[in-house]
Amino acid sequence: SITMASKAAAVLLLVYLSGSTFGIKLTGNGYTDILIAINPEVPEDPVLITQIEEMFKEASRHLLNATKKHLYFKEVAILVPPNWNKGNYSKAKTEVYDKANIIIDEPNKLHGDQPYTLQYGECGSEGRYIHLTPDFMLNDDVSKYYGPRGKVFVHEWAHLRWGVFDEYNEEKPFYLSGSIIEATRCTINITGKYIHKRDQRDCTTDPVTGLYTEDCVFYPDKQQTTSASIMYNQGLSVKEFCTKETHNTEAPNIQNRLCGNRGVEEVITSLSVDAGVAVVPTPPSILPTFTVVQCRQRVVCLVLDVSGSMAAGSRMLNLRQAATLFIQKIVEDQAYIGIVQFTATATIREPLTLIDGEASRDKLVGSLPLSAGGGTDICAGVKKDGDGAIGDAIILLTDGESSINCQKRVNESGATVHTITLGPKANIDVKELSDISGGKYHNAADGVDSNDLVDIFTSHTTSDGNLTKQTIQLESTGLNMIGWFNGSVSIDRTIGNKTSFLVIYERSPPDILVLSPFTRTYDTSHFKHDAPAKTLTLDIEGTAETGQWKYSLLNKESTAQSMSMTVTSRAVSDAIPPVMVKTHMSQQSSNGSKPMLVYAEVNQKGVPVILADVMATLKSDSGDQYQLQLLDNGAGADAFRNDGIYSSYFTELTTGKYSLKVKVHNNDGMARFSLRRHSGALYIPGYVVNGQVVMNPPKPPVSEDDLQADVGSFTRTVIGESFSVLLPPGVPPPNFPPNKITDLNAEIEEDKVLLTWTAPGEDMDQGTATAYEIRFSEDSDLLRSNFSTAHLVTYDLSPKKAGSPEKLSFTLFSIIKNGTTLFFAAKAEDKSFLKSETSNIIQVTKIVPKAPVPSPTDAPDTSGSGVNITAIVISVTTVTMVACLIASVTILIRPILLRSHLKLCVCALTIMCLQ
């Protein structure tokens, strides 16, 4: 109906306005609802709280200066771990570790004490969190190698809030600007010295590349006359970001590659979540206020719909199965659980109960509702949770369509509401309760074979930052079938405690066979059978064997029935962090104006896991299902190669609610840890002070042996929050162009230019594009601002399937000479003539190493002058003829320009012949 459509549109608008970094708001000029969380591994130290506050006060002043007296930090919440007990901390409300914008944790193997920000990709998109270590916060001898803490934090805040990137490049520290060697930096006005890091001699040039040799380092002057840029080196006297006028568009850094050569200020004002924000007068004080809070015992209330519509099909049975798994396996000891059911009114089935053993869990399972009937008032169930709900979590499940009028109560309660809609007719407005309280939203399909409800309840693990206490879902799969249902799951060396196999069936129990990798065989007799709930459970004693476990289910009936298998486990020990997977969409709602991105992050305590097989399944409430291979190849939807973040575009947008499920496998043993770092503050090699280089110690190395070790076979299954698509009425599904090429690379091989890139698709990174348009210029700004007027390269190349490597080699004799710098860019086109955005702009410079000058005795002298003029004329003439010929047939330039090249060739030949 029109009313329901307008309500759904309102919900989508709310999501768009809220942004993806949970909680952060811009109130006037000040940022509020910033959450900084301390990991439980960090020892309690009141000085750490003081240092956090001092850092934010300093950062607020730097931020105000960097944004031209516009923005500052206003309100900050500090979440301390549950195991801290020496301070007088307030009770946390909706603040939990998983929602933190800044995390303070012990250093990981990859980054050490370097401050960094986890960014998933697109320019202008918010990051996930900033990571700081206790040593960086407390030890001045550590922090001084990065610069003042407040300015370092502003550098990271720009990554987090505005989706900009570093302006330095440790892999390409130098580049050629014409014939001049420049350090990769922004602005170009940053001054300093080029010095050999070993002996402080002036740098020498590599004759092949024309750049300084690898042992050369650019040491900037600590005191600069220029004011930018913080995103290059936050330790200098600079105090601003690069503007459109001061930005160095030539530097081969990530900011230019991913942001279309835009400066940081241009991204903030035109692409970021704060683009278009009105400037208001700055208050007299810009010092933030702080609250220090603590999550205590976990309190969860299950608020369950038992109205008449829940009696349809197997909904009540599915609800009981999923809630039983949650109570028996997911909720940790010492948590409190309560159960409320509602129809038009609400009833408490079980008050808050402390989980202190199997008896308490069994009691709660026994209190789950069994039957359904009556009307629906969703808010009646929420209100029954009562007062004193600060810090509590509510898991609300409904399949109904009642009105929602309790938003204000939820907002004021201090509780977090996680909402689950079951079936295609449930009211999506219930999602608003999650949006305003910071909860999760999921939509579940009916049926045992979907396993949706089980997955959703399994995802509600504790979130205090201690990964070793979380239940991890390894496998979740279901089928409607006759006969055998076979599969396998890998137990890796990071998990194995409290491993459980759960089988759910529709009508009659199947025969079950589970084979461990080496020694054990488990059959149906080893499973605990709950006939009313139609489940069979196998709990593995001790630590499960490492390796591949195989399972088989036999449906003994003559007709098909639905069966599912769910496998969960926990960390093998408190000392070994498990391999974890998280997944989410780039947006929680869409109107079809742009494609959505699917992300999956695979890591072990911040260290990326690469070369895994990652498959996403997206399912709509109408039954449509899409499978996407997520890639970590640094192309298409994926911003960085080998950073453990796997990505893909989702372009099949039709109106509806969608669920997201990701399975990660490493059955072939190819997965490895990665050395790829995320965006972070530059470790400063040293400064120039009063004309003298003051060097810092080398950056602590990363052990490649540890990171390149085999991860081992592993399996993970996770779900992300559900999302919705609402296309305008009467508008067909969108048709998207090919994705932007972001990994274009150019090299010169003798007299040829070699371009390489990853093929885009017909629709973003799906399918196969139709054609490429490749252009070059001696002016990089021309390619960015007026691509179609640059020189066109002709080629004979049919685009490959999206994700495939592309290679194109061609000759430019008439253009490329020694010392010539050319810039290249490309676009892809689909069959509807839609073109991608202009690719990253790549430069290449022709360098001919100088030949040693021969002595008079090195060659015979046949002319009396020591020079063979005839030989030179013939040689040069031949080369010139070949050059002219190739130039005329291999490159298509504007006709006037082409004729001028031919005239030059004829003139050159005439002069040489006259000689």
Side-chain angles (χ1 to χ4, degrees):
S1 66
I2 296 177
T3 303
M4 288 298 292
S6 62
K7 286 182 178 179
V11 172
L12 293 180
L13 178 62
L14 175 67
V15 174
Y16 282 130
L17 294 178
S18 67
S20 59
T21 301
F22 172 76
I24 295 178
K25 297 180 178 65
L26 187 56
T27 307
N29 290 41
Y31 288 107
T32 65
D33 291 15
I34 301 167
L35 178 59
I36 182 166
I38 302 172
N39 190 275
E41 289 189 11
V42 176
E44 186 167 5
D45 187 348
V47 178
L48 181 57
I49 303 297
T50 301
Q51 288 291 85
I52 292 171
E53 294 176 353
E54 290 302 313
M55 179 186 70
F56 265 98
K57 291 174 185 178
E58 181 188 346
S60 191
R61 291 188 288 265
H62 284 299
L63 184 65
L64 192 72
N65 288 330
T67 57
K68 297 179 173 58
K69 307 298 181 182
H70 185 189
L71 303 170
Y72 66 98
F73 298 115
K74 186 175 183 180
E75 295 176 4
V76 180
I78 303 171
L79 177 67
V80 302
N83 56 350
W84 283 25
N85 53 28
K86 297 176 183 178
N88 185 20
Y89 310 118
S90 303
K91 185 179 179 181
K93 297 180 181 178
T94 58
E95 301 95 347
V96 295
Y97 190 89
D98 283 353
K99 299 175 188 173
N101 317 114
I102 304 99
I103 291 171
I104 296 182
D105 194 2
E106 296 295 335
N108 58 44
K109 294 179 181 179
L110 180 58
H111 295 88
D113 286 307
Q114 180 190 27
Y116 71 90
T117 302
L118 180 62
Q119 288 182 273
Y120 276 24
E122 289 187 306
C123 181
S125 299
E126 293 170 276
R128 301 302 287 179
Y129 60 79
I130 296 169
H131 185 283
L132 306 174
T133 68
D135 272 356
F136 172 80
M137 295 300 303
L138 298 171
N139 189 340
D140 291 344
D141 288 336
V142 172
S143 63
K144 71 180 181 181
Y145 301 130
Y146 297 97
R149 292 186 184 92
K151 197 181 287 186
V152 170
F153 186 78
V154 171
H155 177 104
E156 298 309 315
W157 180 262
H159 289 311
L160 178 78
R161 180 67 179 178
W162 302 316
V164 299
F165 301 92
D166 293 320
E167 293 169 339
Y168 63 88
N169 189 338
E170 293 176 312
E171 296 177 358
K172 295 182 179 180
F174 307 110
Y175 69 98
L176 284 171
S177 179
S179 59
I180 300 173
I181 303 174
E182 297 284 4
T184 302
R185 66 201 192 279
C186 193
T187 68
I188 198 69
N189 296 322
I190 294 284
T191 57
K193 289 187 175 182
Y194 298 89
I195 302 292
H196 279 283
K197 60 185 176 183
R198 288 197 302 269
D199 52 20
Q200 296 199 23
R201 292 182 298 105
D202 289 342
C203 289
T204 54
T205 304
D206 185 325
V208 176
T209 65
L211 299 173
Y212 290 131
T213 54
E214 290 185 0
D215 55 355
C216 178
V217 176
F218 175 70
Y219 293 94
D221 294 319
K222 190 166 187 179
Q223 295 299 320
Q224 295 285 333
T225 57
T226 182
S227 59
S229 162
I230 293 173
M231 296 312 292
Y232 163 61
N233 187 326
Q234 67 288 333
L236 305 180
S237 62
V238 296
K239 58 184 180 179
E240 295 179 357
F241 301 115
C242 275
T243 65
K244 192 172 184 179
E245 291 73 29
T246 62
H247 179 62
N248 179 8
T249 59
E250 288 188 356
N253 54 35
I254 300 175
Q255 172 66 19
N256 278 331
R257 180 171 74 86
L258 293 182
C259 292
N261 300 80
R262 296 181 180 89
V264 170
E265 187 177 86
E266 187 179 354
V267 173
I268 295 172
T269 57
S270 63
L271 294 178
S272 79
V273 69
D274 294 330
V277 172
V279 178
V280 298
T282 304
S285 174
I286 57 150
L287 296 181
T289 59
F290 301 91
T291 56
V292 184
V293 298
Q294 183 180 46
C295 288
R296 294 162 188 169
Q297 288 172 298
R298 188 182 184 198
V299 178
V300 182
C301 185
L302 305 181
V303 179
L304 308 175
D305 188 348
V306 293
S307 61
S309 55
M310 284 293 293
S314 59
R315 289 181 180 175
M316 287 302 297
L317 177 61
N318 296 160
L319 167 59
R320 183 179 180 85
Q321 292 164 340
T324 297
L325 175 65
F326 176 74
I327 294 168
Q328 293 284 17
K329 304 296 180 185
I330 306 303
V331 177
E332 68 279 11
D333 286 340
Q334 302 305 306
Y336 282 90
I337 301 293
I339 301 173
V340 171
Q341 69 176 36
F342 69 91
T343 53
T345 59
T347 304
I348 297 176
R349 290 193 63 90
E350 191 66 40
L352 291 177
T353 301
L354 177 67
I355 302 294
D356 58 0
E358 292 302 316
S360 57
R361 296 179 189 269
D362 292 341
K363 181 183 178 183
L364 284 162
V365 170
S367 299
L368 290 169
L370 298 174
S371 58
T376 306
D377 184 352
I378 294 172
C379 283
V382 175
K383 293 173 184 176
K384 198 66 177 181
D385 189 51
D387 297 325
I390 293 176
D392 294 1
I394 296 172
I395 299 178
L396 169 65
L397 181 146
T398 181
D399 72 341
E401 296 187 41
S402 77
S403 60
I404 309 294
N405 56 16
C406 49
Q407 292 93 330
K408 182 178 180 181
R409 181 182 180 89
V410 167
N411 191 42
E412 295 173 349
S413 70
T416 301
V417 180
H418 306 289
T419 53
I420 306 169
T421 53
L422 179 60
K425 295 183 179 180
N427 187 0
I428 194 175
D429 286 6
V430 74
K431 182 179 186 297
E432 190 176 349
L433 302 181
S434 296
D435 294 334
I436 62 179
S437 67
K440 302 175 183 177
Y441 165 69
H442 291 101
N443 182 68
D446 290 318
V448 171
D449 55 335
S450 74
N451 228 27
D452 283 358
L453 272 184
V454 167
D455 295 339
I456 292 168
F457 274 92
T458 302
S459 71
H460 284 285
T461 58
T462 183
S463 56
D464 66 355
N466 189 344
L467 301 179
T468 63
K469 302 300 182 185
Q470 289 190 13
T471 299
I472 301 168
Q473 185 167 257
L474 311 182
E475 176 69 294
S476 174
T477 185
L479 287 174
N480 184 277
M481 61 174 300
I482 302 173
W484 287 100
F485 170 18
N486 302 312
S488 65
V489 60
S490 293
I491 305 291
D492 59 277
R493 55 175 175 259
T494 69
I495 58 170
N497 282 344
K498 297 187 177 181
T499 303
S500 178
F501 291 75
L502 171 67
V503 174
I504 297 175
Y505 60 90
E506 184 180 5
R507 293 187 300 271
S508 62
D511 282 345
I512 309 172
L513 190 64
V514 174
L515 303 177
S516 76
F518 303 110
T519 60
R520 292 293 304 271
T521 300
Y522 302 89
D523 58 26
T524 311
S525 66
H526 294 93
F527 282 72
K528 179 181 177 181
H529 187 198
D530 183 345
K534 298 184 178 178
T535 62
L536 297 109
T537 306
L538 170 66
D539 293 323
I540 305 299
E541 294 183 4
T543 302
E545 294 176 19
T546 300
Q548 189 177 68
W549 290 63
K550 297 180 180 180
Y551 59 83
S552 297
L553 310 180
L554 175 61
N555 174 18
K556 296 179 290 184
E557 294 188 3
S558 59
T559 57
Q561 72 164 328
S562 295
M563 300 181 294
S564 71
M565 171 66 83
T566 302
V567 184
T568 58
S569 188
R570 290 192 180 183
V572 69
S573 76
D574 292 342
I576 301 177
V579 172
M580 300 293 291
V581 179
K582 294 182 179 179
T583 184
H584 74 280
M585 302 295 296
S586 59
Q587 308 159 232
Q588 290 308 116
S589 56
S590 172
N591 62 2
S593 60
K594 63 179 183 178
M596 305 181 77
L597 288 92
V598 190
Y599 295 116
E601 177 192 352
V602 188
N603 71 72
Q604 185 187 30
K605 196 175 176 58
V607 179
V609 175
I610 63 174
L611 306 180
D613 181 21
V614 183
M615 184 67 69
T617 301
L618 300 97
K619 186 167 53 179
S620 73
D621 54 6
S622 61
D624 294 327
Q625 185 167 300
Y626 309 90
Q627 285 201 321
L628 296 174
Q629 181 81 39
L630 306 188
L631 301 176
D632 185 16
N633 62 351
D638 191 66
F640 303 105
R641 181 181 177 86
N642 289 342
D643 68 342
I645 297 170
Y646 300 74
S647 318
S648 181
Y649 285 104
F650 176 53
T651 59
E652 301 287 339
L653 301 181
T654 56
T655 295
K657 295 174 289 193
Y658 292 79
S659 62
L660 167 64
K661 187 173 186 174
V662 167
K663 289 192 174 186
V664 182
H665 298 280
N666 181 38
N667 294 333
D668 56 9
M670 293 294 293
R672 295 288 187 274
F673 295 114
S674 172
L675 292 169
R676 176 68 177 82
R677 296 173 185 266
H678 295 288
S679 303
L682 174 68
Y683 183 91
I684 301 165
Y687 305 100
V688 177
V689 180
N690 297 324
Q692 298 297 314
V693 175
V694 179
M695 300 178 68
N696 286 329
K699 185 176 183 179
V702 174
S703 173
E704 295 191 23
D705 292 338
D706 288 343
L707 296 178
Q708 294 301 317
D710 181 8
V711 180
S713 295
F714 68 90
T715 306
R716 297 291 187 272
T717 300
V718 298
I719 62 167
E721 287 191 56
S722 296
F723 62 96
S724 55
V725 176
L726 181 63
L727 301 181
V731 175
N735 183 23
F736 296 108
N739 65 264
K740 174 183 175 180
I741 298 169
T742 59
D743 64 344
L744 183 67
N745 189 51
E747 297 178 5
I748 287 185
E749 294 183 343
E750 297 180 350
D751 289 313
K752 290 186 177 181
V753 176
L754 173 65
L755 296 182
T756 58
W757 67 94
T758 302
E762 169 78 8
D763 295 302
M764 303 311 288
D765 60 1
Q766 307 297 309
T768 304
T770 302
Y772 295 118
E773 181 180 354
I774 301 169
R775 293 184 180 270
F776 70 95
S777 172
E778 294 186 46
D779 179 5
S780 63
D781 288 337
L782 178 67
L783 288 170
R784 177 190 170 194
S785 61
N786 204 354
F787 178 81
S788 62
T789 64
H791 305 315
L792 181 68
V793 175
T794 59
Y795 62 90
D796 182 16
L797 179 70
S798 297
K800 299 176 184 175
K801 183 180 178 181
S804 303
E806 296 277 32
K807 181 184 294 186
L808 179 63
S809 179
F810 51 90
T811 306
L812 292 177
F813 275 117
S814 63
I815 299 295
I816 295 188
K817 300 179 178 64
N818 191 26
T820 299
T821 296
L822 295 179
F823 297 89
F824 291 85
K827 289 186 177 185
E829 185 176 288
D830 67 12
K831 61 187 177 184
S832 300
F833 306 106
L834 296 176
K835 292 184 179 181
S836 68
E837 297 179 47
T838 304
S839 72
N840 63 300
I841 298 172
I842 191 72
Q843 73 177 65
V844 65
T845 302
K846 173 72 172 180
I847 299 294
V848 178
K850 293 180 180 179
V853 178
S855 65
T857 59
D858 287 341
D861 186 354
T862 59
S863 66
S865 63
V867 180
N868 189 335
I869 298 296
T870 305
I872 291 177
V873 170
I874 294 173
S875 176
V876 172
T877 303
T878 304
V879 170
T880 307
M881 291 176 64
V882 174
C884 293
L885 178 62
I886 295 177
S888 65
V889 299
T890 62
I891 179 168
L892 175 63
I893 309 177
R894 289 188 296 271
I896 294 175
L897 188 60
L898 179 59
R899 287 195 295 271
S900 67
H901 281 299
L902 293 176
K903 288 178 181 178
L904 287 173
C905 292
V906 171
C907 181
L909 289 173
T910 303
I911 292 171
M912 291 176 185
C913 290
L914 290 174
Q915 290 178 335

